Amino acid sequence: MSKRKTILSLIFNVLAFVSTVIIFISYFFEEPSILIQNGFDSLKYFTTDSNILAAVVCAVTAVYDIRILSGKSDTLPQAVLILKFIGTACVTLTMVATVLFLMPVYGMFVLKGSLIIVHVTTPLLALISFVFFETVHHISIPKSLLGAVPMMLYGMAYYLEVKVIGEANGGWKDFYAYNRGGHWLLSTVLMTSGCFVAAILTAVIHNIVLKKQKKH
């Protein structure tokens, strides 16, 4: 990694980490609303979970950025890049799902206040740094499927809480409106497909930029 790319990677990763920490702390003081719950209850949302995952891997990546800048390492280890990819794929799905699923249901509310940070800003910080600055290893299609794992695990938990247990029995409210109009099967197919498409596209774009940068 060049010094310029490493510095930019460090800046973006630190911003993503710090903004996520601030937002999560704010949940303990902010009034609950449609897509915001108080304190640890906010962890029921994939938006919160994906942002925390992204923040953690951004912090790990930032540590290695510092190692590179201090001359203790030459580049990001492949394992670290894969972790950054998984976190990035998750928040990329969060951003896309916000536009395609949440905005039609909740309108511009999903982009107001702290929600614009977790729905747009942090995902973009992670995506831009991963795609343009952390282009050091090619990510194969089989490895790109790892990016869908956290999303699929959350999907199973959401199905269990909303569909199997149900809100009346202590489960979660269908706050993502995936069962709206009784179209649970359609939503499941769309979100499952979205998981893999988001992961694969994130890897493909990263690989394309990596290939172009190697030619210059």
Side-chain angles (χ1 to χ4, degrees):
M1 289 176 64
S2 67
K3 184 176 180 179
R4 176 178 173 275
K5 286 169 61 177
T6 305
I7 291 175
L8 289 170
S9 171
L10 176 60
I11 292 172
F12 275 63
N13 283 311
V14 169
L15 286 174
F17 175 76
V18 171
S19 62
T20 301
V21 171
I22 292 174
I23 292 298
F24 185 66
I25 292 175
S26 75
Y27 289 157
F28 289 86
F29 305 96
E30 192 169 353
E31 286 295 323
S33 62
I34 299 173
L35 294 174
I36 297 176
Q37 290 295 315
N38 191 261
F40 291 109
D41 285 342
S42 63
L43 294 174
K44 68 174 62 175
Y45 296 114
F46 181 73
T47 295
T48 304
D49 298 336
S50 64
N51 272 258
I52 289 176
L53 174 60
V56 170
V57 296
C58 280
V60 173
T61 307
V63 169
Y64 278 90
D65 286 333
I66 294 172
R67 287 179 58 85
I68 294 171
L69 292 172
S70 62
K72 295 180 180 180
S73 182
D74 294 327
T75 189
L76 293 175
Q78 189 173 33
V80 172
L81 188 70
I82 293 296
L83 288 175
K84 178 62 185 291
F85 159 68
I86 293 173
T88 301
C90 287
V91 287
T92 298
L93 178 64
T94 292
M95 182 169 58
V96 173
T98 296
V99 175
L100 298 182
F101 286 91
L102 297 185
M103 286 186 69
V105 176
Y106 297 113
M108 293 303 293
F109 172 80
V110 299
L111 298 180
K112 291 183 178 180
S114 63
L115 290 177
I116 194 171
I117 303 296
V118 294
H119 285 154
V120 178
T121 305
T122 299
L124 283 178
L125 287 170
L127 184 62
I128 291 173
S129 63
F130 175 74
V131 168
F132 294 106
F133 310 140
E134 293 144 14
T135 47
V136 290
H137 300 290
H138 179 273
I139 298 178
S140 64
I141 296 299
K143 287 182 179 179
S144 72
L145 300 181
L146 291 173
V149 172
M151 313 175 212
M152 299 302 295
L153 292 175
Y154 177 85
M156 289 187 285
Y158 190 86
Y159 179 86
L160 178 64
E161 289 284 347
V162 175
K163 189 68 174 176
V164 178
I165 299 175
E167 184 180 5
N169 297 313
W172 296 348
K173 178 182 179 181
D174 185 19
F175 41 81
Y176 285 138
Y178 289 155
N179 197 34
R180 190 180 187 185
H183 299 301
W184 181 269
L185 181 59
L186 176 61
S187 295
T188 300
V189 171
L190 289 175
M191 287 310 299
T192 301
S193 302
C195 287
F196 288 102
V197 169
I200 293 173
L201 281 180
T202 301
V204 168
I205 295 172
H206 171 273
N207 291 339
I208 291 174
V209 175
L210 171 63
K211 187 176 181 180
K212 287 185 175 180
Q213 289 182 351
K214 280 187 174 181
K215 288 182 178 180
H216 292 83

